Amino acid sequence: MSEANKELVRRHFQEIWNQRQLDVCEQIMADSYVEHAQAPFGTTEPGAVVGPQAMRATVQWLLAQFPDMTMTHVRASVALVQDRGRQAG
């Protein structure tokens, strides 16, 4: 994985989730992507979403349920933008 991709993953966890800087969603999320899981608050099937808006909504919903939640980045794979993390809170 390139250093630039590793930095995106780091920012996703550290800035969006842990520092609650939701404006970072517009900086690092793709304009659209395919969501493979239905969000717990969702009413539509998984599929294409507006990236920054979808991420912002997911973060806001989860933090409303678990206000002290934090995420720890564990590793990123070599070949893909794939990640494993831990949640606490």
Side-chain angles (χ1 to χ4, degrees):
M1 176 187 294
S2 74
E3 291 304 313
N5 288 343
K6 287 180 185 178
E7 179 63 9
L8 284 175
V9 172
R10 184 203 64 78
R11 289 187 72 196
H12 175 82
F13 282 95
Q14 188 59 33
E15 295 178 27
I16 294 174
W17 287 100
N18 295 338
Q19 296 174 359
R20 315 303 199 238
Q21 295 179 29
L22 299 186
D23 58 314
V24 173
C25 293
E26 281 74 28
Q27 297 171 23
I28 68 171
M29 299 303 298
D31 290 335
S32 65
Y33 62 88
V34 176
E35 178 60 68
H36 296 281
Q38 184 172 347
F41 57 87
T43 58
T44 60
E45 294 297 316
V49 297
V50 177
Q53 292 174 357
M55 179 54 60
R56 187 182 284 268
T58 298
V59 171
Q60 290 171 331
W61 187 87
L62 281 170
L63 292 178
Q65 311 311 306
F66 308 99
D68 60 343
M69 184 172 84
T70 59
M71 298 243 189
T72 303
H73 171 69
V74 177
R75 70 180 171 96
S77 90
V78 175
L80 302 170
V81 180
Q82 171 186 335
D83 189 72
R84 175 179 238 181
R86 292 191 181 119
Q87 300 169 342

